[in-house]
Amino acid sequence: MSGDRNAVAIWDYAVTEKNVAYHRVARKDQLLFSENADQGEWGDWYWATDNTKDLTYQSGPDTDVRGAFEKDGKLANSKDSNFRAISNKWPVFGLSHDLGSVESGSALFTIGLAQNHAVQYAGSSKTTHPVTSLWTSYWSNGSHAVSNRCGLVAYLALQANMDIARIFPS
Amino acid sequence: MHVENSVQMNITFLSPITPDDLRRQSLIFSYLHVDISSLDGKEHDVQLYADISAGMYSRNFIGICAHID
């Protein structure tokens, strides 16, 4: 969430009205239009998946969260409430799907960055002004945007099929 | 990726471009699809895990793991 390992991160976990489960992670002190080591220092990161019955989640120190999956094959459905520096017991945000006893299966995860303001624009003015990102005209906040991302995969599959039909007409 | 000769795991990273759909294009989101299939014709217990870390370390940002029986 920052190029600075000493920057403090804050985070949350929730499920949207369209049943998309997500961790949201952000730099506590947002630095608009700033970067550190080629990483933007503002905006909210979303790490999401479908909130299926088999899903478990956990946030916490990397050894705890990954350790829970290694030991139990699932996560504790718990949140770490100790907001701290990124490098302090490296907080990680886990999502786990139990596919059960199967011959085939799959899971889809989404990673995204929601910034309310993406650029500064001067135009003919002597000063720059922040410009809101286009997505904010469609969705009121990042969690609404994440909630609607599922439809994209179906759309892409349809596009891919149409492109294939064009290139290889049968 | 194979787990011995019992299960195959495919991981696809997709950052889509939809020039005909500005609404979708306006989202800065990428997709990670994990696909598993049995190689030996038998069922297997599969649990998947994926995480992100709050910061880059050892150049790792997304971690993926699978439990397969």
Side-chain angles (χ1 to χ4, degrees):
Chain A
M1 289 56 239
S2 169
D4 172 7
R5 293 177 178 192
N6 296 316
V8 173
I10 58 175
W11 55 82
D12 194 11
Y13 174 86
V15 178
T16 70
E17 77 287 351
K18 288 193 180 174
N19 227 21
V20 173
Y22 66 91
H23 289 282
R24 172 174 48 212
V25 191
R27 198 187 199 281
K28 176 169 182 273
D29 298 315
Q30 297 265 299
L31 304 178
L32 188 60
F33 303 135
S34 283
E35 60 86 21
N36 184 318
D38 294 331
Q39 271 191 261
E41 300 289 301
W42 80 104
D44 292 340
W45 284 91
Y46 287 86
W47 174 233
T49 192
D50 286 316
N51 185 37
T52 50
K53 280 193 164 59
D54 61 88
L55 176 72
T56 52
Y57 71 91
Q58 192 170 339
S59 56
D62 58 350
T63 47
D64 287 1
V65 180
R66 292 168 181 174
F69 179 75
E70 277 177 62
K71 182 165 153 288
D72 303 322
K74 61 180 194 241
L75 301 174
N77 287 338
S78 64
K79 294 189 235 188
D80 184 332
S81 56
N82 179 25
F83 299 148
R84 55 189 183 273
I86 285 168
S87 55
N88 181 353
K89 289 187 280 185
W90 304 94
V92 300
F93 309 91
L95 296 168
S96 176
H97 282 289
D98 185 343
L99 301 183
S101 186
V102 291
E103 280 194 58
S104 69
S106 67
L108 180 67
F109 302 90
T110 303
I111 177 111
L113 175 62
Q115 293 169 325
N116 283 345
H117 294 92
V119 296
Q120 302 179 85
Y121 180 69
S124 55
S125 158
K126 283 191 167 60
T127 54
T128 59
H129 305 275
V131 181
T132 49
S133 301
L134 181 63
W135 67 265
T136 61
S137 67
Y138 301 114
W139 297 286
S140 52
N141 57 43
S143 59
H144 279 156
V146 128
S147 204
N148 284 274
R149 105 281 184 252
C150 290
L152 179 60
V153 176
Y155 172 85
L156 287 170
L158 178 64
Q159 269 309 110
N161 285 338
M162 286 164 65
D163 289 343
I164 288 166
R166 247 199 311 275
I167 296 166
F168 302 104
S170 52
Chain B
M1 295 165 116
H2 287 191
V3 178
E4 297 179 346
N5 283 320
S6 52
V7 175
Q8 175 176 275
M9 185 161 82
N10 284 328
I11 301 169
T12 306
F13 290 84
L14 177 67
S15 294
I17 295 175
T18 54
D20 298 327
D21 189 334
L22 282 185
R23 187 170 174 263
R24 286 202 163 94
Q25 190 60 55
S26 72
L27 291 173
I28 315 295
F29 279 83
S30 291
Y31 299 82
L32 184 127
H33 189 250
V34 183
D35 205 300
I36 63 104
S37 51
S38 174
L39 294 173
D40 58 7
K42 297 184 196 147
E43 288 188 347
H44 294 276
D45 285 326
V46 180
Q47 295 101 43
L48 295 174
Y49 169 91
D51 72 27
I52 63 165
S53 69
M56 296 269 195
Y57 60 113
S58 312
R59 315 308 282 178
N60 290 335
F61 179 45
I62 293 180
I64 302 164
C65 185
H67 249 202
I68 297 171
D69 289 319

